[in-house]
Amino acid sequence: MRKLFKIGTSICYKRIKIKKQFIYRKGKKKVKKILKYIIIGIVSFFLLFFVFSNLLRWTHQGEFLKYDNGVTIEVYNSSKEVITGLNFYFAFDGDHVYQDLGTITQLGPEETSSFYNHKIKDTGNDRSLYLQYPINKTETEFESLVYLHSNKPSKVVLILEITGTDNKGKL
């Protein structure tokens, strides 16, 4: 009888153990399924956030979206004169640090010229984009074209049309 009793108890014990393992596996599957849905939810939230933030940025930039980050300057000469020596640069107020952006040596009538500078120096938040050009053979003129109040602009686009010069030679 003892053997029977021991055999009977061990069988009962094994059945209980099998039921516990089955319940544990079922619970483990639920936890995995819940974690999978949580991860999918978090990833989809960040993807939607990324898409909407880029859409807002793109709509804010409008027609200037096609230009790369940096400084892009396009000059169109619609006058009947040849324009020479156009020098573009940034000047930072107070520090007097200059960043030369580029020079257009000669621009004929009805011609367009453009250039691109990929880097903007990080020195201060009070900067202006200037144009320097010769008036006569002895004088030069400085014109402030753009004032930037931000500390680190990522994109500056200047589209300039020159329609002619006055009696003194100023654009």
Side-chain angles (χ1 to χ4, degrees), residues 44-91:
S44 61
F45 170 77
F46 282 113
L47 284 174
L48 287 174
F49 178 75
F50 176 74
V51 167
F52 284 123
S53 65
N54 279 337
L55 283 175
L56 286 174
R57 185 175 57 94
W58 291 337
T59 57
H60 179 68
Q61 288 185 10
E63 66 183 82
F64 301 107
L65 180 64
K66 65 182 178 181
Y67 297 100
D68 292 332
N69 285 351
V71 182
T72 304
I73 299 175
E74 292 182 5
V75 182
Y76 174 64
N77 183 10
S78 63
S79 69
K80 303 292 183 213
E81 305 167 17
V82 175
I83 308 294
T84 58
L86 301 175
N87 184 21
F88 296 91
Y89 62 92
F90 274 131

Side-chain angles (χ1 to χ4, degrees), residues 127-144:
R127 70 183 86 204
S128 293
L129 192 146
Y130 286 94
L131 167 64
Q132 175 186 357
Y133 61 94
I135 296 177
N136 300 334
K137 293 181 180 178
T138 58
E139 293 182 45
T140 57
E141 180 71 22
F142 301 94
E143 300 237 359
S144 175

Side-chain angles (χ1 to χ4, degrees), residues 77 81-86 103-109 111-113:
N77 183 10
E81 305 167 17
V82 175
I83 308 294
T84 58
L86 301 175
T103 303
I104 298 174
T105 54
Q106 186 173 358
L107 192 63
E111 280 187 6
T112 301
S113 180

